[in-house]
Amino acid sequence: MTSKENLKHTYQLLQLERQADLEQYRKKVLMRSLHQRTKEGVTWYPVRLLRDFIGTGERVMIEIEKTNSLDQPHSFQSGKVVSLFCNASGKPEKQHVNGVVNYVRENTMTITLNGDDLPDWIDEGSLGVDVMFDEMSYREMEYALKKVTEAEENRLALLREILLGDEKLQAPNLVLATSNSLHQTASLLNESQHEAVTKIVHATDVAFIHGPPGTGKTTTIVDAIKQTVKNENQVLVCAPSNAAVDLLVEKLTIQGLNTLRIGHPARVTEQSLGRTMDARIAEHEHFNELKSLRRKMEHLRHQAERYKRNFGHTERKQRRMLRDEVKALKADADQLEFYIINDLLNHAHAVCCTLVGSSHPSLKGRKFTTVFIDEAGQALEPACWIPILKSQRVIFAGDHCQLPPTIKSYEAAKQGLSKTLFEKGIEKHTPLATMLRVQYRMHESIMEFSSNYFYKNELIAHESVKHELLRSYEQPIEFMDTAGCGYAEKQNLETLSRFNPEEATVLIHQVERLAESIGISAWLDEKITLGIITPYSAQVDQLLQQAGASEILEPLQRFISINTVDAFQGQERDVIAISFVRSNEKSEVGFLSDIRRTNVAMTRARKKLIMVGDSATLASDAFYSSLIEFVQAKGFYKSAYSVF
């Protein structure tokens, strides 16, 4: 396919994904009764308005409280788009207004509403809140794909041909490229990290950092950004998730860069709030002037609301006059805020946001020489094009051997939407990529299998971690094989997620044995961290239940995390225990066939890796067959049949 055909195909796949996403939303929200939605946690109803107030950025905010006694899991979290509705006159959801969740705590939720005023109907009936479908992200991705497809004889067209077309590039000559500025940080970076930064600084169009687990990808990208800022004064820094952006904001700020975090404050971690546009506006020298305008607006807004209940001609006229005054004040406030925002943007070294967040109105018309895209191995291609529209060159950092993008449409994933722009580019321009080779996380035995299978056996364990064990008598890896034990998997009929209670019991027993071997006091003194990982959410429930009932593990609860593989991406623990779950007569591994997830799970461990699974089922897949051969050859294999 030509680059344009490739983009048109991606556009079609995005439509499939949008349709699948919308269908999931319809099934969860639109097709269910109010009672069902409330029961399933996608709606809070009824809720009581506790207070309303104006937040930073002239945003109308409300705090609500759930008034029913149901205490079940729900889908509400910071950053979610929601709809506040009113059941007035017995007509369900007669009126509604959208907003974004700032935070949720037990039975209370704070929401930033879209619009300049509280809705008139807020006191007219029972209120409720629905989770909403995220339409805006799809619109921005579709727009970006169209712009890239249409580009002709400009910089965007060249980047398109480099990444998807026939344009060939040569990597810069590293001997000639090395500069004095890079020598200043060379001592802080290892050889492959230094090579990556050098390539980035001297790349004219595109460069790639391939960062396997524990190899210091964040350290490298932060140094590359710092060096680039010296030459260009300002860069755009993006990632697919808010968490990844916030980590970069934190690291860049520590390095002394003036960072500006673009995005809704509700979607930003507490540590990064001080770098957000809203917070920086509040620190600006002209903020007091803006604040004074807002106070007047707030005062007049409340005066106008006094005329809600008893409307006559005079009251309506008075309310209209007050609202006109508010509009005039808002126009002044908007003009002043526009000046402050541009002043902040002009002085920022690193403008940081999510990929979709780079379409923020404050960045409209703004161009950057370089965009850095971190966690590019998890980023949908259409989302990557959004910041590339604003840039002259692009630097990708990620690892396509770890978790892929989350895709809801099986068909779209199968037809290629799961293949990222990072992966396409790195395959096409291998000389422009640098793989970081020294890892600082794992014992060399924990690293070895992943290095062989995914990274051409090129990873090296740094001396500081190479031989690090929990105890000298503890093996770095244990594989507990449940083959022959009759521990057949089961399926949750509602969620279709798999679980295996007996396998969970084996895993918890192994963890208890380890805790007793180390000693509870020693475990607590050394603050040993443990992650229990499984690919299936239904197995998470089993593990949580069994770990919660364990008297041995009870004192260690604050050092134990239990979750799915996806939730552990980017994290690490002293000990990792994995439950593979699958055990069936047909030897089907299903979801486990995405071996990148298993790579992520295994490489979270620093000093000890425990794996529990059924070799008779797992070995039907070439990857797991190789893994079982590896643990057997190294003496890390045990049969649960002989132990229990």
Side-chain angles (χ1 to χ4, degrees):
M1 284 194 287
T2 66
S3 63
K4 290 189 177 185
E5 287 169 344
N6 200 317
L7 285 162
K8 283 173 184 171
H9 178 62
T10 301
Y11 186 90
Q12 290 165 354
L13 298 184
L14 187 64
Q15 300 312 304
L16 287 178
E17 174 65 4
R18 186 183 179 281
Q19 194 177 340
D21 199 359
L22 183 56
E23 189 56 33
Q24 277 193 22
Y25 171 73
R26 280 170 55 81
K27 284 179 181 174
K28 273 188 171 181
V29 180
L30 299 184
M31 306 291 285
R32 303 289 174 96
S33 69
L34 185 55
H35 175 72
Q36 285 175 314
R37 299 199 315 265
T38 304
K39 191 177 174 185
E40 290 172 16
V42 293
T43 296
W44 275 18
Y45 180 84
V47 298
R48 180 166 63 94
L49 180 66
L50 295 179
R51 64 185 180 119
D52 65 276
F53 55 100
I54 297 291
T56 49
E58 297 168 28
R59 302 170 191 267
V60 180
M61 300 179 71
I62 59 168
E63 186 178 4
I64 58 168
E65 180 181 45
K66 185 165 59 168
T67 56
N68 65 35
S69 57
L70 288 174
D71 184 24
Q72 79 280 347
H74 58 76
S75 303
F76 295 93
Q77 61 187 39
S78 296
K80 283 273 190 183
V81 179
V82 294
S83 174
L84 177 75
F85 64 83
C86 174
N87 282 356
S89 308
K91 296 180 182 177
E93 294 124 270
K94 182 184 174 188
Q95 296 145 316
H96 65 91
V97 61
N98 290 354
V100 177
V101 176
N102 282 63
Y103 61 83
V104 184
R105 295 203 180 113
E106 295 178 352
N107 286 330
T108 62
M109 190 190 310
T110 301
I111 302 169
T112 301
L113 298 180
N114 296 346
D116 301 328
D117 293 298
L118 271 180
D120 292 340
W121 43 259
I122 202 148
D123 298 319
E124 291 177 8
S126 296
L127 298 175
V129 185
D130 279 330
V131 170
M132 287 294 288
F133 178 68
D134 186 10
E135 183 73 47
M136 187 273 286
S137 295
Y138 286 100
R139 281 204 305 267
E140 295 298 343
M141 288 190 281
E142 288 165 5
Y143 173 79
L145 286 173
K146 284 178 180 175
K147 292 296 285 185
V148 179
T149 307
E150 292 165 1
E152 294 290 348
E153 297 182 0
N154 58 16
R155 189 68 186 158
L156 182 59
L158 178 62
L159 289 173
R160 178 191 68 213
E161 295 309 311
I162 288 167
L163 290 165
L164 298 176
D166 297 326
E167 193 76 24
K168 301 291 181 190
L169 294 174
Q170 292 297 315
N173 185 318
L174 295 189
V175 177
L176 296 174
T178 303
S179 65
N180 292 332
S181 64
L182 284 175
H183 278 305
Q184 293 171 17
T185 58
S187 60
L188 305 175
L189 302 175
N190 64 46
E191 187 182 341
S192 59
Q193 290 172 331
H194 180 54
E195 179 190 328
V197 174
T198 306
K199 273 188 183 177
I200 286 165
V201 170
H202 294 279
T204 53
D205 306 289
V206 179
F208 305 87
I209 302 173
H210 181 193
T215 53
K217 174 178 65 67
T218 303
T219 300
T220 309
I221 194 172
V222 165
D223 196 82
I225 290 168
K226 199 175 173 184
Q227 298 300 330
T228 305
V229 166
K230 285 181 185 176
N231 297 331
E232 299 172 9
N233 199 42
Q234 186 178 78
V235 296
L236 180 60
V237 178
C238 296
S241 71
N242 284 292
V245 176
D246 289 336
L247 176 64
L248 286 169
V249 168
E250 182 188 335
K251 300 293 184 186
L252 291 167
T253 303
I254 289 168
Q255 289 295 315
L257 294 187
N258 180 356
T259 57
L260 185 61
R261 174 69 159 97
I262 305 295
H264 200 294
R267 294 188 169 101
V268 176
T269 61
E270 206 167 318
Q271 291 87 340
S272 294
L273 269 176
R275 313 308 301 170
T276 60
M277 180 71 83
D278 284 1
R280 298 291 296 280
I281 287 170
E283 294 168 359
H284 197 273
E285 59 182 333
H286 291 295
F287 178 68
N288 284 338
E289 197 179 331
L290 184 61
K291 198 174 176 182
S292 174
L293 288 169
R294 282 182 183 153
R295 274 206 203 101
K296 287 177 188 173
M297 284 169 59
E298 178 77 350
H299 176 68
L300 291 172
R301 190 174 72 89
H302 280 297
Q303 274 190 296
E305 281 177 7
R306 285 186 312 170
Y307 297 102
K308 262 188 186 180
R309 300 195 179 278
N310 300 305
F311 260 172
H313 174 73
T314 308
E315 288 82 7
R316 190 172 281 108
K317 186 179 177 183
Q318 187 66 25
R319 187 179 183 188
R320 189 164 55 245
M321 285 172 59
L322 288 167
R323 282 191 158 177
D324 286 344
E325 279 189 69
V326 170
K327 281 180 186 173
L329 285 169
K330 188 179 185 307
D332 291 343
D334 285 348
Q335 194 172 353
L336 180 55
E337 190 170 50
F338 179 78
Y339 164 75
I340 293 171
I341 285 169
N342 278 283
D343 189 43
L344 291 169
L345 281 166
N346 290 338
H347 288 92
H349 294 132
V351 177
C352 306
C353 54
T354 61
L355 297 166
V356 174
S358 63
S359 63
H360 194 276
S362 64
L363 298 181
K364 191 174 181 181
R366 193 166 281 266
K367 295 288 182 183
F368 299 85
T369 303
T370 304
V371 58
F372 284 82
I373 299 178
D374 194 16
E375 299 296 357
Q378 281 189 276
L380 277 176
E381 179 185 331
C384 285
W385 287 113
I386 300 171
I388 295 174
L389 292 180
K390 300 177 178 294
S391 311
Q392 297 294 302
R393 68 179 195 134
V394 56
I395 312 300
F396 295 94
D399 181 11
H400 50 292
C401 301
Q402 292 189 63
L403 286 182
T406 301
I407 296 175
K408 294 181 171 68
S409 167
Y410 172 77
E411 196 56 39
K414 195 172 92 172
Q415 290 189 42
L417 191 61
S418 60
K419 191 165 188 177
T420 62
L421 196 56
F422 173 74
E423 193 174 353
K424 290 176 182 178
I426 215 167
E427 283 177 4
K428 192 164 180 277
H429 300 290
T430 305
L432 302 179
T434 306
M435 189 178 89
L436 307 181
R437 293 182 290 276
V438 181
Q439 67 84 14
Y440 299 85
R441 177 183 295 162
M442 295 161 267
H443 186 282
E444 62 179 350
S445 294
I446 298 172
M447 172 200 77
E448 189 177 347
F449 180 76
S450 283
S451 179
N452 290 345
Y453 204 93
F454 293 100
Y455 306 110
K456 302 175 186 174
N457 202 22
E458 291 181 11
L459 292 188
I460 302 159
H462 190 262
E463 286 300 322
S464 61
V465 297
K466 191 173 184 177
H467 304 297
E468 277 289 296
L469 293 166
L470 282 175
R471 294 292 184 269
S472 57
Y473 55 81
E474 280 291 341
Q475 287 185 310
I477 300 175
E478 285 178 21
F479 186 98
M480 186 64 66
D481 188 0
T482 64
C485 295
Y487 298 162
E489 68 190 61
K490 296 175 175 62
Q491 189 171 29
N492 184 310
L493 296 177
E494 203 169 301
T495 64
L496 303 182
S497 184
R498 311 270 171 172
F499 63 101
N500 193 323
E502 292 90 352
E503 184 175 293
T505 302
V506 173
L507 184 143
I508 296 300
H509 175 79
Q510 288 303 103
V511 170
E512 288 175 332
R513 184 208 61 77
L514 179 65
E516 288 181 317
S517 167
I518 301 294
I520 302 301
S521 296
W523 193 294
L524 292 169
D525 290 344
E526 295 172 36
K527 296 182 171 64
I528 296 169
T529 55
L530 164 67
I532 299 177
I533 302 181
T534 179
Y536 296 95
S537 57
Q539 186 74 342
V540 170
D541 296 336
Q542 291 288 323
L543 291 162
L544 283 167
Q545 186 182 336
Q546 294 197 32
S550 169
E551 291 182 12
I552 296 168
L553 299 182
E554 197 277 329
L556 311 177
Q557 290 298 332
R558 70 181 185 275
F559 297 116
I560 301 174
S561 310
I562 303 175
N563 219 322
T564 58
V565 181
D566 297 50
F568 273 91
Q569 170 84 336
Q571 300 184 44
E572 56 188 68
R573 298 289 188 273
D574 295 317
V575 184
I576 287 291
I578 304 170
S579 170
F580 288 117
V581 178
R582 299 310 295 260
S583 178
N584 55 73
E585 290 179 1
K586 294 180 180 178
S587 297
E588 291 176 347
V589 297
F591 189 51
L592 292 182
S593 61
D594 188 346
I595 59 176
R596 291 173 292 184
R597 272 190 169 76
T598 303
N599 184 36
V600 170
M602 292 167 64
T603 55
R604 302 307 96 198
R606 294 190 195 110
K607 302 173 183 179
K608 178 88 176 177
L609 173 62
I610 300 169
M611 294 177 280
V612 183
D614 177 357
S615 65
T617 296
L618 296 175
S620 65
D621 181 279
F623 169 80
Y624 294 101
S625 180
S626 298
L627 175 60
I628 291 159
E629 285 174 16
F630 169 79
V631 294
Q632 287 174 333
K634 294 288 182 178
F636 300 146
Y637 173 91
K638 291 178 185 174
S639 170
Y641 190 74
S642 62
V643 175
F644 289 91

